[in-house]
Amino acid sequence: MPRVKRGVAARKRRNRVLRNARGYYGARSRLFKTAREAVEKGWKYAYRDRKQRKRVFRQLWIARINAAAREHGLSYSRMIHGLGVAGVEIDRKILAQLAVTDPKAFGDLAELAKSPPA
């Protein structure tokens, strides 16, 4: 069998890691082993925070809806329940956006949520 020299593949792999570590402080951007650890930890944080971002935004929307609903004499849970009973299918993201940008439309929805089912 012919001799196989593997230097090119190894260099390519190491350079790929070092490229991903660009902008890190000190050895984290220069030494392969340290850079690899930093990059892999960065990937872990990125994966975790993609999940957390969804939670954080939902919390923000709920807080905004709750604050706006209380201005109309409703709690968050009564507002959401009332909208469900009324057959209004608006998600929390849009409700929160309405609460901030169009208080009149949100007020109309709050009145709809207050009214007893027909």
Side-chain angles (χ1 to χ4, degrees):
M1 275 178 87
R3 175 176 172 216
V4 176
K5 298 182 74 178
R6 305 176 338 156
V8 175
R11 172 60 50 202
K12 186 177 180 183
R13 178 175 54 86
R14 291 184 193 122
N15 280 337
R16 188 170 56 232
V17 169
L18 288 171
R19 230 186 350 266
N20 284 326
R22 241 192 242 156
Y24 290 180
Y25 180 81
R28 293 164 71 89
S29 66
R30 293 184 185 89
L31 302 181
F32 172 69
K33 185 176 177 181
T34 316
R36 186 184 65 215
E37 290 167 356
V39 166
E40 287 175 359
K41 180 150 260 187
W43 289 337
K44 282 184 188 175
Y45 285 143
Y47 176 82
R48 181 199 67 193
D49 292 342
R50 280 194 298 274
K51 313 293 176 214
Q52 276 189 347
R53 181 174 53 216
K54 294 165 181 65
R55 287 180 231 154
V56 169
F57 269 105
R58 185 179 168 98
Q59 286 176 346
L60 174 67
W61 299 332
I62 288 172
R64 286 179 175 174
I65 294 166
N66 189 26
R70 287 184 186 276
E71 288 179 0
H72 295 282
L74 283 168
S75 68
Y76 167 79
S77 62
R78 292 193 188 277
M79 172 91 179
I80 294 295
H81 177 72
L83 289 175
V85 169
V88 177
E89 291 186 13
I90 297 180
D91 63 8
R92 285 162 180 81
K93 179 180 177 180
I94 302 302
L95 268 176
Q97 195 174 346
L98 281 175
V100 172
T101 60
D102 192 358
K104 185 183 178 316
F106 188 87
D108 295 342
L109 286 172
E111 290 306 315
L112 191 63
K114 273 186 201 176
S115 61

